[in-house]
Amino acid sequence: MRTSTRVCSDVNSPETAISGTEAQAERAASTCLVDLDFQSANCGAYLNQFNQFDLAGIIGQPERLDVELMDVIKLSRPSGLTLYSFERPQLPFEPRGADFVFRLLDLVAYRFDDIVIDLPNIETPWHESVLRTSDEIFIVFELNVASLRQGKRLYKKIRELRGNGVSITLVANKHKRKWFGNHFSRSELEKIFKAPHIKSLVLDNALLADALNRAILPSEVDSRARFNKDLKRMFKERLDNAQR
């Protein structure tokens, strides 16, 4: 189970004034993905991008991190998307590790219109702060008892921190095409979380394995695949609701 956190909302989208292709490029250029899983840096690994920059000097002196250095340490996709992903398992335990993360997030918020944070399911000094300040939160879980227990615990924690003042989207990942083929039905999930309208992402091992092995996005493998349609529908609904 992972938590994806959309921390900036784009209410005044420029897409109505420019063509579709230009709109996509502009939106990608104004979007940043921050991978806070320093144990494995999976966001970068899935795209076969690895940050070779030595963070040792910056983590000890996070005030050195500025706009120019942010351009040096970033990873980029051909679409224009910017990614910050670092494999440094010891970072959460370093004396100024949290200061580095908060400095990174401050600069990202300054530079980009839309920020997506991949927050791993482990407690860190910045975990609660990210949950407190996010505009949109997505809790992704799988249909097994262990993942559901973790998802329910996190959902309860966020509600205690934020009440009903934040939008939380619950996402059942890797569900089979027909709900009766899963161990839990949609109605059972709604009872577990005490929340309606739980979303789902279809299980498509072939699509995801192909994307992973080619280091491209699933939408670049087959944009018409059910998995991609599920994602598009889910995010479109959240964006439309945010703009109302």
Side-chain angles (χ1 to χ4, degrees):
M1 186 199 69
R2 308 192 67 79
T3 305
S4 298
T5 309
R6 186 175 182 272
V7 297
C8 286
S9 60
D10 185 9
V11 178
N12 300 311
S13 172
E15 296 183 15
T16 56
I18 53 182
S19 69
T21 302
E22 291 174 338
Q24 291 176 3
E26 183 168 322
R27 188 62 178 266
S30 66
T31 302
C32 178
L33 171 59
V34 182
D35 182 1
L36 292 185
D37 182 1
F38 298 102
Q39 302 297 316
S40 55
N42 275 333
C43 289
Y46 288 159
L47 297 172
N48 197 30
Q49 290 189 306
F50 302 92
N51 205 310
Q52 304 298 324
F53 192 88
D54 185 2
L55 290 176
I58 302 177
I59 294 175
Q61 296 177 290
E63 59 275 4
R64 290 180 53 198
L65 189 60
D66 57 19
V67 173
E68 292 183 1
L69 191 53
M70 290 284 286
D71 285 334
V72 175
I73 65 177
K74 72 179 182 181
L75 301 172
S76 300
R77 292 282 296 157
S79 63
L81 174 72
T82 295
L83 167 65
Y84 290 98
S85 182
F86 311 94
E87 185 176 357
R88 192 178 176 87
Q90 68 273 30
L91 191 144
F93 311 103
E94 298 189 43
R96 302 204 64 186
D99 293 334
F100 166 80
V101 172
F102 290 133
R103 177 71 173 171
L104 174 67
L105 293 177
D106 283 344
L107 288 171
V108 164
Y110 172 75
R111 288 287 302 273
F112 296 92
D113 295 331
D114 291 290
I115 305 162
V116 178
I117 298 176
D118 184 31
L119 190 64
N121 189 39
I122 58 173
E123 291 291 337
T124 59
W126 50 84
H127 192 269
E128 189 169 303
S129 177
V130 171
L131 294 178
R132 283 185 180 278
T133 57
S134 301
D135 295 329
E136 299 277 347
I137 298 177
F138 295 81
I139 299 178
V140 184
F141 57 88
E142 296 183 16
L143 296 174
N144 59 68
V145 172
S147 187
L148 282 170
R149 183 179 291 113
Q150 291 177 336
K152 183 178 180 180
R153 176 182 59 80
L154 182 57
Y155 181 76
K156 181 180 179 182
K157 176 180 179 178
I158 297 170
R159 284 302 181 209
E160 290 174 350
L161 288 172
R162 305 283 301 275
N164 294 321
V166 64
S167 172
I168 303 176
T169 301
L170 296 165
V171 185
N173 194 23
K174 300 180 181 179
H175 87 83
K176 297 178 182 178
R177 286 186 178 273
K178 295 189 179 295
W179 275 95
F180 59 75
N182 299 282
H183 293 292
F184 297 91
S185 68
R186 187 183 297 276
S187 61
E188 288 174 326
L189 294 178
E190 292 176 350
K191 289 180 181 179
I192 290 172
F193 288 97
K194 298 180 180 179
H197 311 306
I198 293 176
K199 308 304 178 184
S200 61
L201 295 176
V202 71
L203 175 64
D204 192 336
N205 288 326
L207 174 74
L208 297 180
D210 195 9
L212 179 60
N213 291 331
R214 294 166 61 186
I216 59 178
L217 300 177
S219 59
E220 295 172 321
V221 175
D222 181 3
S223 61
R224 296 174 295 177
R226 172 69 179 277
F227 175 85
N228 292 314
K229 289 181 178 179
D230 287 346
L231 273 178
K232 183 177 180 179
R233 185 183 307 112
M234 180 175 65
F235 285 117
K236 184 179 186 302
E237 178 179 315
R238 293 310 320 144
L239 290 171
D240 288 346
N241 289 341
Q243 292 179 3
R244 289 174 185 169

